[in-house]
C-alpha cells in the first residue's frame, strides 16, 4: 500500500471512531423495564398513568397508559401542592420581603392573642408549628369549608390547640402551609393564587397549573396540574433555581428547601406513604448526606401523584394516575425509583 493511500484510511478510521463515540455518549438510557413495570401494574393503577423522567434539560422518558390520559392531562395533585407553596414562600425570602425566622405574629397578630406568637414561617413549611392537625385534612375532600384563606387561618389561631412548642414535634397536615400562604397575602396585598401565577407558574410556563377554588384557596393540597407542567417545576429545582436561562429561585433557596428539619423522635403524625422519611421545606427527604442536606426529595399526593428529585443522579420524575393513592401503590413508585437508580450513576462526592 502506498503512503498516499494510508492517510485517507487513517482519516476514515478516525471519523468512524468519532461517530461511534458520539453515538455512545448520546445513547439514551434504557428505561424499558419501567414500561414493563407500569404495564404490569396497569390494573392496580386504575388503568390511567403517565410517567415522565427529566434529565440534562430534557424529558428522557415518557410513558402514558389509558384513554385520554397523557402528559398534558390536568388532574388534582394533592399534597404535591406543598412543594409549589414552599417555592412561592422562598421567592419572598429571596427578595428580603420576609425571613424564614420571622414569627407569623409579625404579620398575623391574632396568633399572639391566642398564645401562638412564637411560630415561625420556617416552622410552618416544616409542619412543626405545634398546632393540632386533623390527619383527615391531608385529603381535600375532608377539609372544612372556609370562604377565604383569612377565615381559615383565623380559625386555626383561635380554635386549634397548641400540643407542643414550635419546632419540637412534626404533624403532617394543612395547618402550616395555610398560615404561610396567608402571610404572603398580607405582605403582598394580593391573593395567594395571583402570587403563585406571578412568581411560579407563569415564569415556568405552567399554563395548566392552578390553585383556583370556589372556597378558600388550599396551599397544602388544592392544586391541579399536568405531568408536563410539574416536571418543569422539578427541573427548575434540579437546576438550582434556573429555568430556560432565567432565575426563578436562588441557589440558597433551593438549599434551604433541601435542608432536613426533622428527626425520627419528632414525628408524631406521618401518613403511611411517607413513613420512614424525614422532612425539609415543602417536601419529604428520602435520603440525605452527612450534612443533613436531602439528596433525594419527594412529594407524594393523595390523588395518585408521585413527584421526586434525585440531586445526585441528576434527574426528576413525575408519575400521575387518575384517582386516589392507596398506600399499597408506594411499592410501585419505589420499584420505579429502583429501576432508575440502577440505570443512572450518582455524582455526589
Amino acid at each position: 500500500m502506498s503512503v498516499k493511500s494510508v492517510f485517507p484510511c487513517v482519516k476514515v478510521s478516525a471519523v468512524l471512531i468519532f461517530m461511534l463515540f458520539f453515538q455512545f455518549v448520546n445513547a439514551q438510557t434504557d428505561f424499558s423495564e419501567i414500561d414493563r413495570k407500569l404495564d404490569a401494574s396497569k390494573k392496580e393503577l386504575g388503568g390511567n398513568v403517565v410517567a415522565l423522567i427529566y434529565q440534562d434539560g430534557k424529558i428522557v422518558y415518557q410513558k402514558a397508559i389509558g384513554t385520554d390520559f397523557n402528559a398534558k392531562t390536568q388532574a388534582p395533585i394533592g399534597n404535591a401542592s406543598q412543594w409549589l407553596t414552599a417555592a412561592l414562600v422562598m421567592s419572598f425570602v429571596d427578595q428580603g420581603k420576609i425571613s424564614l425566622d420571622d414569627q407569623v405574629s409579625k404579620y398575623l397578630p391574632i396568633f399572639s392573642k391566642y398564645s401562638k406568637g412564637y411560630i415561625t414561617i420556617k416552622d410552618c413549611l416544616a409542619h412543626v408549628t405545634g398546632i393540632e392537625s386533623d390527619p383527615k385534612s391531608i385529603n381535600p375532600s375532608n377539609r372544612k369549608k372556609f370562604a377565604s384563606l383569612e377565615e381559615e387561618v383565623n380559625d386555626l389561631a383561635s380554635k386549634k390547640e397548641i400540643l407542643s412548642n414550635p419546632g419540637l414535634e412534626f404533624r403532617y397536615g394543612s395547618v402550616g402551609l395555610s398560615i404561610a400562604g396567608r402571610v404572603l397575602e398580607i405582605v403582598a396585598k394580593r391573593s395567594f393564587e395571583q402570587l403563585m401565577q406571578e412568581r411560579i407558574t407563569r415564569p415556568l410556563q405552567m399554563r395548566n397549573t392552578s390553585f383556583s377554588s370556589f372556597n378558600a384557596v388550599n396551599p397544602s393540597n388544592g392544586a391541579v396540574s399536568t405531568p408536563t407542567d410539574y416536571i418543569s417545576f422539578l427541573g427548575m429545582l434540579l437546576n438550582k433555581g434556573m429555568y430556560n436561562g432565567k432565575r426563578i429561585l436562588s441557589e440558597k433557596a433551593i438549599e434551604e428547601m433541601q435542608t432536613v428539619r426533622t428527626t425520627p423522635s419528632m414525628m408524631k403524625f406521618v401518613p403511611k406513604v411517607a413513613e420512614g422519611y424525614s422532612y425539609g421545606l415543602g417536601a419529604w427527604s428520602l435520603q440525605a448526606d452527612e450534612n443533613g442536606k436531602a439528596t433525594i426529595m419527594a412529594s407524594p399526593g393523595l390523588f395518585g401523584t408521585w413527584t421526586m428529585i434525585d440531586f445526585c443522579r441528576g434527574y426528576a420524575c413525575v408519575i400521575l394516575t387518575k384517582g386516589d393513592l392507596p398506600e399499597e401503590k408506594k411499592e410501585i413508585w419505589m420499584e420505579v425509583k429502583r429501576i432508575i437508580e440502577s440505570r443512572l450513576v450518582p455524582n455526589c462526592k
Side-chain angles (χ1 to χ4, degrees):
M1 182 182 291
S2 68
V3 174
K4 288 185 179 180
S5 65
V6 170
F7 285 101
C9 290
V10 171
K11 288 181 180 180
V12 171
S13 297
V15 170
L16 287 173
I17 292 171
F18 175 79
M19 289 177 67
L20 288 171
F21 176 77
F22 184 81
Q23 284 183 319
F24 175 78
V25 299
N26 285 276
Q28 189 162 319
T29 305
D30 180 14
F31 291 121
S32 58
E33 190 178 348
I34 298 178
D35 282 350
R36 293 191 289 273
K37 178 62 181 178
L38 294 177
D39 286 332
S41 306
K42 178 180 177 179
K43 184 176 180 180
E44 189 177 352
L45 293 171
N48 295 280
V49 59
V50 174
L52 298 180
I53 299 174
Y54 170 99
Q55 186 186 33
D56 296 331
K58 60 183 181 296
I59 293 173
V60 296
Y61 173 82
Q62 180 169 326
K63 172 78 170 180
I65 300 173
T67 305
D68 299 324
F69 199 72
N70 55 56
K72 295 185 178 180
T73 300
Q74 188 183 63
I77 60 172
N79 296 97
S81 308
Q82 296 192 12
W83 221 341
L84 295 169
T85 296
L88 178 61
V89 173
M90 293 311 301
S91 74
F92 279 77
V93 174
D94 276 345
Q95 291 185 341
K97 293 183 180 296
I98 61 173
S99 166
L100 287 175
D101 294 320
D102 283 346
Q103 295 177 359
V104 297
S105 55
K106 175 180 178 180
Y107 309 98
L108 303 168
I110 189 174
F111 279 84
S112 291
K113 180 179 178 181
Y114 290 97
S115 303
K116 300 179 177 76
Y118 294 102
I119 298 168
T120 67
I121 293 173
K122 185 188 300 179
D123 293 333
C124 292
L125 297 186
H127 296 291
V128 293
T129 63
I131 298 176
E132 65 173 321
S133 178
D134 183 358
K136 293 181 180 180
S137 70
I138 61 176
N139 188 331
S141 63
N142 295 324
R143 188 168 179 262
K144 185 177 178 181
K145 297 295 188 291
F146 293 97
S148 66
L149 192 55
E150 177 182 9
E151 181 183 328
E152 177 186 359
V153 170
N154 286 346
D155 184 83
L156 291 173
S158 62
K159 297 181 180 179
K160 294 292 184 180
E161 296 293 326
I162 281 282
L163 302 181
S164 69
N165 289 331
L168 298 182
E169 295 182 351
F170 176 94
R171 291 179 177 82
Y172 193 70
S174 61
V175 171
L177 278 294
S178 291
I179 296 171
R182 178 58 185 156
V183 166
L184 300 186
E185 291 187 333
I186 294 293
V187 171
K189 297 181 173 60
R190 286 199 294 286
S191 72
F192 178 89
E193 172 69 5
Q194 287 177 306
L195 296 172
M196 184 63 71
Q197 290 177 0
E198 292 170 6
R199 292 168 173 261
I200 302 297
T201 60
R202 194 177 299 152
L204 290 173
Q205 299 178 316
M206 299 169 68
R207 297 181 179 89
N208 294 302
T209 301
S210 170
F211 279 79
S212 294
S213 173
F214 291 111
N215 300 301
V217 69
N218 185 347
S220 293
N221 44 35
V224 294
S225 188
T226 68
T228 301
D229 274 12
Y230 208 96
I231 205 73
S232 294
F233 171 69
L234 296 183
M236 179 272 293
L237 297 180
L238 183 61
N239 293 327
K240 299 181 179 181
M242 296 294 293
Y243 176 77
N244 283 350
K246 181 179 180 181
R247 181 157 295 284
I248 308 299
L249 293 176
S250 68
E251 289 190 38
K252 175 65 174 174
I254 307 299
E255 290 175 1
E256 289 282 3
M257 295 170 75
Q258 285 181 257
T259 302
V260 174
R261 310 287 172 174
T262 64
T263 61
S265 63
M266 295 171 64
M267 312 307 269
K268 300 305 178 183
F269 171 67
V270 177
K272 287 188 178 298
V273 73
E275 284 182 349
Y277 303 152
S278 52
Y279 204 80
L281 297 182
W284 299 92
S285 169
L286 279 60
Q287 184 174 304
D289 63 20
E290 60 185 10
N291 298 313
K293 183 178 177 182
T295 55
I296 302 177
M297 299 189 79
S299 187
L302 287 173
F303 284 100
T305 306
W306 183 276
T307 61
M308 182 171 61
I309 297 176
D310 188 325
F311 291 94
C312 283
R313 290 177 176 80
Y315 80 88
C317 178
V318 171
I319 303 175
L320 182 66
T321 67
K322 185 185 293 184
D324 294 336
L325 177 62
E327 293 152 7
E328 312 85 66
K329 289 184 183 177
K330 178 181 177 180
E331 298 308 315
I332 300 174
W333 314 146
M334 290 296 97
E335 179 62 14
V336 171
K337 174 177 174 291
R338 184 201 65 76
I339 294 169
I340 299 172
E341 289 177 350
S342 71
R343 302 294 189 273
L344 302 178
V345 178
N347 56 18
C348 289
K349 295 181 180 179

